[in-house]
């Protein structure tokens, strides 16, 4: 009997396998090095362009002529080889792949550490480097060591002020930054049923912050309903008895809003313990928390109020932006005094669009708070969308009270 | 494969953002990464990497998948990295760019001389021989070729 990773990879934990890759994607950052390595390999191809994606998200629109020229080369390559391509403003690669591209049971690699996000669909999805990706372009295959799996068994349901991000940060703090190294995380138990597809994507997004190779949910009715929006009819994946390396149990009802102070992602503590921390910037977005539900939740809290600290909101894709515009969520956010950025990664990696200054503090819904990550001498605190919204209204770190109904 | 050099010690959870910061990634010029390697951790560290062996704490190379981190260390002249554990993407990247990474404990101090015997799977420092986790045959093949790109090129010929 197998874990989901073992089932998808077709081998037992510890085995090495060579696997056909169903989908492989790069962004404008890693794509440049992938293309260089692929050219140096001197292979014809790519082997299966229909399985490949080049998705611009890291520095969009280009911030200077060096970036623009690197993007020009990659854009022309994608178009000339029949590779799926998303230009500036299309959105974050992981979000685009999660809008009806990745399906349960697939093997997916992305040249970005947060590619584990797509495991939310019951796929085996993991990050690789540029040279590994070049070999995938060349051959359509790659190798894996089949991971052992840690079960995260969920029960209960969230209190109103708590959301998937609080759970994700709590899981990382329980495991530690390398607590799941070389292993997969499987989220199981009754508590998974109450998690929306978008919440699950937030959960699997942070799997890599505990060192995990990927994080997986079994495809269920929630997955099926979500993928049906995109015209896909998929089967549920039924868990079978299997051997886990260990098990972490969490009652969702026990959770409180948490914040992860820098410079470690496994540092989660109750927001209440740091309440009042002065903020210079609030940032809502990224592959962690820039989806429609996130924007909707943010809007529900700031509706008819004004943020009193500079606040940047970046939808994670053009689709999210369009839906936010169609539903009035966007106008609520703009009316509250927030600045809207181009769908993409925004300032998360400290390259542009909201880099913070020396000594400044940013409360961010992203997934990394490493030293200097969002700007030299700046500090990044990680929290949920509700905490970001409540804090933006006060200008200091604030415990969100309740989840206002959307 | 036999490697040796003087030890430079680092702590645990060294992330790829501090190896090479995001602000230096938008280029193909490897020299840029060499110039700024470890800039946010210790600006003097980069100049001490040539001919050295990094001995780090657990979870070396965590965070971003940026291959520039492994390339920067390799191009800066680093001989190898020894750590009790590595972030898995960094580990693969290092092998793929031809930078030997050794999973194991090495009890030594900065300035010590360390010898790594990858074939035998041991690290020797101050007369003490410590076994390390052997690399798979595939990883050893990639390292011997100098990286995955040279290996592919050699297979084509």
């Amino acid at each position: 009997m197998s874990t989901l990773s073992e089932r998808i990879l077709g081998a037992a934990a510890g085995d090495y396998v060579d696997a056909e890759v169903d989908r492989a994607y790069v962004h404008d950052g890693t794509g440049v090095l992938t293309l260089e390595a692929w050219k140096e390999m001197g292979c014809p191809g790519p082997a299966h362009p229909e399985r490949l994606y080049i998705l611009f998200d890291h520095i969009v629109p280009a911030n200077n002529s060096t970036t623009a020229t690197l993007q020009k080369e990659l854009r022309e390559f994608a178009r000339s080889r029949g590779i799926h391509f998303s230009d500036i403003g299309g959105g974050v690669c992981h979000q685009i792949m999660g809008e009806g591209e990745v399906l349960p049971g697939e093997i997916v690699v992305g040249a970005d550490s947060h590619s584990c996000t797509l495991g939310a669909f019951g796929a085996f999805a993991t990050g690789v480097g540029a040279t590994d990706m070049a070999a995938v372009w060349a051959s359509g295959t790659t190798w894996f060591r089949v991971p052992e799996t840690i079960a995260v068994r969920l029960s209960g349901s969230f209190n109103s002020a708590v959301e998937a991000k609080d759970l994700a940060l709590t899981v990382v703090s329980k495991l530690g930054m390398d607590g799941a190294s070389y292993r997969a995380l499987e989220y199981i138990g009754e508590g998974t049923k109450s998690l929306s597809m978008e919440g699950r994507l937030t959960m699997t997004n942070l799997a890599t912050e505990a060192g995990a190779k990927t994080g997986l949910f079994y495809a269920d009715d929630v997955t099926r309903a979500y993928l049906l929006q995109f015209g896909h009819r998929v089967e549920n994946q039924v868990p079978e008895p299997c051997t886990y390396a260990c098990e972490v149990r969490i009652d969702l009802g026990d959770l409180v809003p948490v914040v992860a102070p820098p410079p470690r992602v496994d540092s989660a503590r109750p927001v209440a313990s740091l309440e009042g921390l002065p903020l210079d910037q609030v940032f809502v977005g990224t592959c962690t928390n820039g989806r429609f539900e996130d924007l909707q939740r943010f809007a529900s809290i700031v509706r008819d109020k004004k943020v009193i600290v500079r606040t940047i909101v970046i939808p994670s894709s053009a689709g999210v932006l369009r839906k936010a515009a169609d539903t009035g969520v966007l106008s609520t956010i703009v009316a509250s005094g927030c600045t809207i950025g181009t769908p993409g990664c925004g300032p998360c990696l400290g390259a542009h669009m909201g880099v913070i200054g020396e000594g400044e503090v940013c409360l961010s819904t992203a997934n990394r708070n490493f030293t200097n990550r969002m700007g030299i001498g700046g500090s990044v605190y990680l929290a949920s969308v509700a905490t970001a919204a409540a804090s933006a209204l006060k200008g200091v770190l604030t415990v969100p009270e309740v989840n206002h109904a959307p | 494969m036999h490697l040796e050099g003087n030890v430079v010690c680092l702590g645990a959870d060294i992330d790829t953002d501090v190896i090479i910061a995001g602000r230096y990634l938008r280029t193909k010029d490897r020299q840029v990464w060499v110039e700024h390697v470890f800039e946010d951790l210790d600006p003097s560290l980069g100049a001490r990497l040539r001919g050295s062996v990094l001995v780090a704490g657990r979870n070396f190379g965590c965070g971003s998948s940026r291959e520039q981190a492994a390339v920067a260390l390799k191009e800066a002249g680093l001989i190898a990295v020894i750590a009790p554990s590595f972030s898995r993407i960094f580990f693969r990247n290092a092998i793929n760019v031809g930078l030997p990474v050794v999973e194991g404990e090495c009890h030594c101090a900065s300035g010590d001389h360390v010898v790594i015997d990858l074939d035998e799977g041991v690290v020797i420092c101050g007369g003490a021989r410590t076994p390390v986790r052997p690399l798979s045959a595939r990883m050893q093949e990639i390292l011997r070729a100098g990286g995955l790109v040279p290996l592919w090129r050699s297979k084509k010929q």
Side-chain angles (χ1 to χ4, degrees), chain B residues 4-67:
Chain B
E4 59 187 294
N6 288 331
V7 169
V8 173
C9 286
L10 287 178
D13 299 313
I14 298 294
D15 63 73
T16 52
D17 273 69
V18 303
I19 299 175
I20 184 71
R23 59 190 179 275
Y24 299 121
L25 297 182
R26 298 301 162 250
T27 177
K28 294 186 214 171
D29 182 355
R30 295 169 169 229
Q31 202 51 41
V32 170
W33 308 327
V34 173
E35 281 167 21
H36 297 286
V37 66
F38 285 126
E39 184 175 279
D40 289 353
L41 186 69
D42 174 358
S44 73
L45 188 52
R48 287 184 274 139
L49 297 181
R50 185 155 300 281
S52 297
V53 172
L54 267 186
V55 176
R58 64 188 211 183
N59 201 28
F60 186 85
C62 60
S64 159
S65 72
R66 62 190 67 169
E67 195 164 287

Side-chain angles (χ1 to χ4, degrees), chain A residues 28-104:
Chain A
D28 48 311
T30 53
V32 171
L33 284 191
T34 302
L35 181 54
E36 286 297 291
W38 180 77
K39 283 188 203 161
E40 286 176 35
M41 284 176 175
C43 297
H48 298 284
E50 74 283 2
R51 300 181 194 169
L52 307 184
Y53 297 74
I54 295 178
L55 311 168
F56 284 8
D57 60 8
H58 267 52
I59 303 195
V60 294
N63 60 340
N64 60 35
S65 47
T66 305
T67 307
T69 303
L70 292 171
Q71 290 186 1
K72 174 174 179 278
E73 185 185 358
L74 205 50
R75 182 183 290 115
E76 287 173 355
F77 176 77
R79 287 179 173 157
S80 69
R81 304 294 174 130
I83 294 170
H84 299 277
F85 176 64
S86 170
D87 211 325
I88 61 153
V92 185
C93 57
H94 313 301
Q95 176 63 16
I96 292 173
M97 295 306 290
E99 292 180 352
E101 298 296 326
V102 170
L103 299 175

Side-chain angles (χ1 to χ4, degrees), chain A residues 118-323:
Chain A
L118 282 316
F121 294 103
F124 186 86
T126 192
V128 297
T131 302
D132 262 333
M133 183 58 80
V136 173
W137 283 11
S139 67
T141 66
T142 193
W143 64 271
F144 297 105
R145 181 183 168 279
V146 181
E148 289 82 21
T149 295
I150 297 174
V152 180
R153 188 178 294 277
L154 306 175
S155 59
S157 59
F158 290 135
N159 293 316
S160 60
V162 174
E163 60 193 74
K165 179 61 163 294
D166 298 302
L167 171 59
L169 287 172
T170 301
V171 169
V172 173
S173 72
K174 278 181 184 287
L175 291 169
M177 265 170 73
D178 63 347
S181 280
Y182 311 131
R183 293 172 171 178
L185 298 178
E186 267 187 23
Y187 307 94
I188 57 171
E190 284 299 300
T192 58
K193 290 182 182 169
S194 66
L195 289 170
S196 69
M197 202 62 238
E198 300 201 350
R200 295 175 185 192
L201 288 158
T202 301
M203 295 287 307
T204 50
N205 180 262
L206 266 80
T208 189
E209 305 310 331
K213 187 173 283 190
T214 189
L216 305 99
F217 281 84
Y218 286 80
D220 63 5
D221 293 348
V222 173
T223 323
R224 281 201 306 159
Y226 177 92
L227 288 172
L228 197 57
Q229 294 177 82
F230 300 98
H232 299 295
R233 292 181 187 281
V234 301
E235 300 289 320
N236 286 4
Q237 293 167 323
V238 181
E240 49 189 53
C242 60
T243 306
Y244 291 120
C246 62
E247 188 168 306
V248 176
R249 288 168 186 251
I250 297 176
D251 184 334
L252 302 183
D254 291 342
L255 298 178
V256 296
V258 293
V259 60
R264 300 174 63 94
V265 184
D266 62 358
S267 62
R269 52 196 282 189
V271 175
S273 70
L274 281 173
E275 195 161 37
L277 177 84
L279 303 174
D280 298 289
Q281 178 170 297
V282 172
F283 170 44
V284 176
T286 78
C287 53
T288 313
N289 275 130
R291 287 177 270 275
F292 178 71
E293 277 181 13
D294 299 318
L295 269 52
Q296 189 179 43
R297 187 168 167 88
F298 183 87
S300 73
I301 296 170
V302 302
R303 178 172 293 128
D304 301 327
K305 300 188 178 87
K306 293 282 183 191
V307 300
I308 62 167
V309 60
R310 67 174 193 264
T311 300
I312 300 167
V313 178
I314 303 189
S316 60
S317 74
V320 170
L321 175 58
R322 196 179 316 119
K323 194 167 174 186

Side-chain angles (χ1 to χ4, degrees), chain B residues 150-157:
Chain B
L151 180 65
W152 271 77
R153 291 178 68 92
S154 70
K155 282 187 172 175
K156 274 168 52 78
Q157 284 160 7

